[in-house]
Amino acid sequence: MAHLPQLETQRQILFCDTLRILGLSFPSPANHRDPPTHPLPQHIYATERALSILEALEGALESIQNEHGIVDDTIDSFKVHKASAGFNTRDIPPEFDGIQHVVFHQEYPPNDDVASLFSISSYFDALREARKTRGSCTPSAPLQCELGDILLYGEAISSTQTLLERNIKTLEVLPVPLLSLATYQLSGRGRGSNVWVSPLGCLQWSLLLRPPPQFPTGKLVFIQYLVGLAVVEACRDVMGKLGDSVVLKWPNDIYAKVKTLRGEEMKKIGGILVNTVFMAGGVRIIVGCGVNVLNDPPIFSLSQLHPGGSKAIPKLTMENMAATIMVIFGRMWNEFIAAGSFEPFVDLYLDRWIHSDQLVTLESVHPPVRARIVGITPDYGLLRTIPETYKAGGPEFIDLQPDGNSFDMMAGLIRTKK
């Protein structure tokens, strides 16, 4: 038994050497950090001009607490804390018995003591600098502040998307927009039944939005396209020419073009999920997004677009990427709402995606058809294709819904999503 630790070390060395011989890469054990196994307290902050909104939210949550001071909601239960001089998050038990603890910080600039893997102050500094570069914009009603002004951060939570979407009591009183961001997700969600894996280095966030009551619901499908475009533009803003290799895959994936010994390859670095909740007072939009920013191999990330890694791209930080996405998407959102359509962004979107004039096989129709992609429809955001060979009496166009189809880009197949 005394030799077991030594034998385990030798086993790990042999296993790592075997993987290297096979040409596989993996993080160094010295850099390994075990992720949390349970949710940790969440902390909510605001810019100086949004502190009054934070104060109102604290009061609203207190008004729906039960006699034990708990907000007992559909999926989660919440306990509100005030970050006062005598408060210490270490006093909160690590095991919550199903209770999510939310700590309100009413000070600005914020204190970084509670977050070791994400700098709250650096995020707000980056938000301010991005607005200087891109310009601030007056939020369009019913938004109460600019995107990114209110940040809910937890080092480890179940899912940023589930937290906002499925706790209806809390959702009714949350301000819009509200950004929920986590370093680790214990139950991250992807499109459909997919699971989003959330290792260290992935920027994962959900954003609560609310369009005006008169906004046409048929145009909400374009939000996933708008978010993807904002992320791609943020990569160009933060990474310069390196960011030009980041592109869009229909309907909601983000890829990077990577030069390898085998030629150019496409590596997935992100995905987008948009959920809508119809409730009293109007529709709520919950935008979820995960982008691999600083991940180590074998997971590909933005930092690996440069041979020198993230150290060679000084602006590439989690905080700066989050802030830049918020500022760019905020301006796009205002224009989208004002126009009532995706029309102002169509040309840029088609320039940033990888499908123009792409020849594919449509297995979602019977019999399968070879068709060429020509764009997206302006009314409902469908993928528009033209059959390669026109048959008398056949359709001029074949339009495909984003939520009902799966695009196997490598095989050039579009099939009904199961």
Side-chain angles (χ1 to χ4, degrees):
M1 295 294 289
H3 298 295
L4 282 179
Q6 182 180 358
L7 291 174
E8 175 60 18
T9 300
Q10 292 174 352
R11 187 193 68 82
Q12 291 182 7
I13 293 173
L14 176 62
F15 183 67
C16 291
D17 287 343
T18 302
L19 292 178
R20 290 191 184 95
I21 291 171
L22 293 172
L24 300 177
S25 58
F26 46 88
S28 166
N31 299 328
H32 178 72
R33 175 173 180 153
D34 289 329
T37 57
H38 53 78
L40 297 175
Q42 297 180 69
H43 300 263
I44 189 164
Y45 305 85
T47 58
E48 189 170 15
R49 60 184 174 181
L51 286 176
S52 60
I53 301 174
L54 209 61
E55 184 176 358
L57 171 61
E58 187 177 354
L61 289 173
E62 289 175 352
S63 71
I64 57 175
Q65 291 177 354
N66 61 23
E67 65 273 18
H68 304 293
I70 303 294
V71 178
D72 192 14
D73 216 325
T74 316
I75 299 295
D76 299 297
S77 296
F78 300 93
K79 173 68 175 175
V80 173
H81 302 268
K82 295 183 179 181
S84 59
F87 177 81
N88 194 320
T89 54
R90 288 188 291 271
D91 297 333
I92 299 176
E95 300 294 344
F96 295 153
D97 294 326
I99 296 177
Q100 304 274 359
H101 292 257
V102 181
V103 184
F104 276 74
H105 295 259
Q106 290 285 357
E107 78 280 357
Y108 188 87
N111 190 326
D112 266 337
D113 291 348
V114 299
S116 61
L117 296 174
F118 186 88
S119 171
I120 306 299
S121 61
S122 294
Y123 164 76
F124 282 118
D125 287 345
L127 194 67
R128 184 176 61 252
E129 289 303 313
R131 286 173 179 166
K132 285 182 181 178
T133 303
R134 292 266 178 174
S136 289
C137 55
T138 303
S140 57
L143 300 190
Q144 298 166 258
C145 57
E146 289 191 68
L147 271 63
D149 272 353
I150 301 177
L151 171 67
L152 177 64
Y153 171 76
E155 183 174 312
I157 70 173
S158 56
S159 162
T160 58
Q161 197 75 358
T162 299
L163 181 79
L164 296 182
E165 180 196 2
R166 298 183 180 174
N167 289 296
I168 303 302
K169 287 183 185 177
T170 308
L171 183 59
E172 287 180 335
V173 301
L174 286 177
V176 287
L178 182 142
L179 173 64
S180 174
L181 192 149
T183 296
Y184 294 101
Q185 289 186 118
L186 307 181
S187 305
R189 290 165 53 196
R191 186 177 175 222
S193 59
N194 294 337
V195 173
W196 182 264
V197 180
S198 307
L200 188 64
C202 179
L203 178 66
Q204 47 223 350
W205 51 271
S206 294
L207 180 67
L208 175 62
L209 293 167
R210 185 178 165 191
Q214 72 274 14
F215 190 81
T217 56
K219 303 298 182 183
L220 297 178
V221 66
F222 289 99
I223 293 174
Q224 60 186 324
Y225 303 149
L226 198 68
V227 178
L229 190 56
V231 171
V232 167
E233 294 307 288
C235 290
R236 284 165 165 73
D237 192 271
V238 170
M239 303 178 68
K241 292 294 293 182
L242 284 173
D244 291 350
S245 63
V246 181
V247 292
L248 293 165
K249 170 183 172 288
W250 183 86
N252 59 352
D253 287 330
I254 302 163
Y255 274 72
K257 298 178 182 178
V258 182
K259 293 181 179 178
T260 70
L261 295 176
R262 296 182 295 273
E264 186 176 86
E265 294 183 2
M266 303 297 295
K267 303 277 190 179
K268 182 174 178 178
I269 58 167
I272 296 155
L273 174 66
V274 178
N275 296 114
T276 55
V277 179
F278 293 89
M279 57 196 308
V283 63
R284 305 300 196 275
I285 309 295
I286 301 96
V287 175
C289 182
V291 182
N292 296 333
V293 177
L294 299 176
N295 305 68
D296 290 325
I299 298 173
F300 192 83
S301 64
L302 291 172
S303 62
Q304 296 168 48
L305 288 172
H306 194 290
S310 59
K311 292 181 180 179
I313 318 171
K315 291 177 64 178
L316 185 63
T317 66
M318 304 294 273
E319 297 83 0
N320 196 28
M321 275 299 299
T324 304
I325 292 170
M326 287 301 107
V327 171
I328 292 176
F329 182 48
R331 296 186 66 82
M332 288 182 172
W333 175 264
N334 273 9
E335 189 173 355
F336 174 64
I337 294 299
S341 78
F342 192 65
E343 184 62 32
F345 308 98
V346 170
D347 289 344
L348 183 60
Y349 182 84
L350 296 181
D351 186 64
R352 298 295 190 248
W353 80 345
I354 53 177
H355 305 301
S356 293
D357 208 36
Q358 183 179 357
L359 192 61
V360 295
T361 299
L362 306 182
E363 292 190 344
S364 53
V365 297
H366 301 285
V369 173
R370 292 286 284 172
R372 196 169 297 276
I373 297 174
V374 295
I376 54 176
T377 64
D379 46 5
Y380 298 112
L382 308 180
L383 184 72
R384 170 148 289 182
T385 67
I386 298 177
E388 188 178 23
T389 303
Y390 177 74
K391 295 181 180 180
E396 181 181 0
F397 301 110
I398 299 177
D399 297 334
L400 304 170
Q401 294 185 0
D403 292 335
N405 293 280
S406 177
F407 196 158
D408 185 339
M409 184 175 60
M410 304 308 173
L413 298 174
I414 299 179
R415 53 172 63 98
T416 303
K417 192 173 180 66
K418 298 179 180 180

